[in-house]
């Protein structure tokens, strides 16, 4: 079985957009307790590396390490564990909630922006990026660099994501690092 209810969100996103393809190298940021990592393995990725601040029980055919994605050594370390640049970077990262919605939204957007920055360091050309974001707030700040660096940017609210939560996912595909260098 899946380790988290969150697993169904990735299943629904992937059923819609067919992001995970056999043989892909995939990074899962904020992997605990391991649901998204399980889905990535199950859908045929050849290498999956998960990362979380919290310890995660082993997932077969995946590597999960404990650490902070903002650690400057992390991009190189994950590429090494993966055996090359990533085809897909997933981020379901969320901070501990404070109960103060504006603060929680800002923090989650900080994580998403950090994940985007991370993705741009580890993705192979043509790669994809999925991140948990929040409706409204500073989300627009992220869109401009994303639209420049990826050929397609979409938003998706999977049915498994609670209706009353303003959580949604941004999905970018077709990473084109050359576009970043020109600007
Ligand atoms: N997708 C997971 C699953 O299906 O099991 C659930 C992920 S959970 C919603 C969010 C995770 O993000 C938490 O476990 C949290 O520890 C992690 N996280 C938050 N900030 C992080 C950071 N700076 N580096 C690594 N992981 C982080």
């Amino acid at each position: 079985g899946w380790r988290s209810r969150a697993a169904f969100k990735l299943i629904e996103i992937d059923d819609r957009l067919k992001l995970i393809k056999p043989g892909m190298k995939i990074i899962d940021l904020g992997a605990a307790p391991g649901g998204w990592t399980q889905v990535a393995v199950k859908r045929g990725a050849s290498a999956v590396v998960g990362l979380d601040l919290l310890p995660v029980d082993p997932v077969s055919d995946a590597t999960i390490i404990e650490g902070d994605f903002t650690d400057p050594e992390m991009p190189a370390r994950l590429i090494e564990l993966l055996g090359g640049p990533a085809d897909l970077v997933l981020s379901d990262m969320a901070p501990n909630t404070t109960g103060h919605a504006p603060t929680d939204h800002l923090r989650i957007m900080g994580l998403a922006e950090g994940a985007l920055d991370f993705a741009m360091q580890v993705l192979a050309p043509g790669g994809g990026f999925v991140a948990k974001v929040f409706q409204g707030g500073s989300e627009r700040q992220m869109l401009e660099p994303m639209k420049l660096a990826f050929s397609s940017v979409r938003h998706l609210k999977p049915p498994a994501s609670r209706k009353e939560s303003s959580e949604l996912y941004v999905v970018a595909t077709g990473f084109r690092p050359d576009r970043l260098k020109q600007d």
Side-chain angles (χ1 to χ4, degrees), residues 3-7 9 28-37 51-54 67-70 92-96 111 132:
R3 287 198 193 161
S4 62
R5 225 177 48 87
K9 299 179 197 170
D28 182 17
L29 299 177
W36 281 32
T37 300
L51 169 69
D52 205 288
L53 296 170
L54 305 173
D68 190 324
F69 85 105
T70 62
D92 193 28
M93 286 192 291
N96 290 326
L111 287 175
K132 190 205 287 285

Side-chain angles (χ1 to χ4, degrees), residues 3 31-35 37-38 54-60 62-66:
R3 287 198 193 161
T37 300
Q38 290 180 306
L54 305 173
V56 182
D57 286 337
V59 171
S60 41
T63 304
I64 305 188
I65 62 168
E66 208 176 311

Side-chain angles (χ1 to χ4, degrees), residues 124-143:
F129 173 65
V130 177
K132 190 205 287 285
V133 294
F134 266 94
Q135 228 139 23
S138 59
E139 208 244 334
R140 283 204 182 137
Q141 279 174 25
M142 236 182 118
L143 277 178

Side-chain angles (χ1 to χ4, degrees), residues 8-137:
F8 294 100
K9 299 179 197 170
L10 180 59
I11 288 169
E12 290 167 358
I13 291 168
D14 191 51
D15 282 348
R16 278 274 299 278
L17 301 176
K18 312 280 185 237
L19 301 169
I20 304 173
K21 302 200 176 77
M24 276 188 163
K25 292 182 167 63
I26 300 181
I27 289 175
D28 182 17
L29 299 177
W36 281 32
T37 300
Q38 290 180 306
V39 173
V41 168
K42 198 76 172 203
R43 298 214 158 181
S46 66
V48 182
V49 177
L51 169 69
D52 205 288
L53 296 170
L54 305 173
V56 182
D57 286 337
V59 171
S60 41
D61 299 315
T63 304
I64 305 188
I65 62 168
E66 208 176 311
D68 190 324
F69 85 105
T70 62
D71 178 339
E73 286 170 12
M74 237 9 127
R77 187 158 169 222
L78 292 202
I79 286 177
E80 197 184 326
L81 287 169
L82 212 52
D87 300 299
L88 189 58
V89 172
L90 307 172
S91 169
D92 193 28
M93 286 192 291
N96 290 326
T97 50
T98 62
H100 182 246
T103 303
D104 292 341
H105 290 192
L106 276 175
R107 287 193 183 171
I108 212 159
M109 291 314 304
L111 287 175
E113 281 168 37
L116 173 63
D117 193 61
F118 183 97
M120 294 202 225
Q121 295 178 60
V122 300
L123 277 177
F129 173 65
V130 177
K132 190 205 287 285
V133 294
F134 266 94
Q135 228 139 23

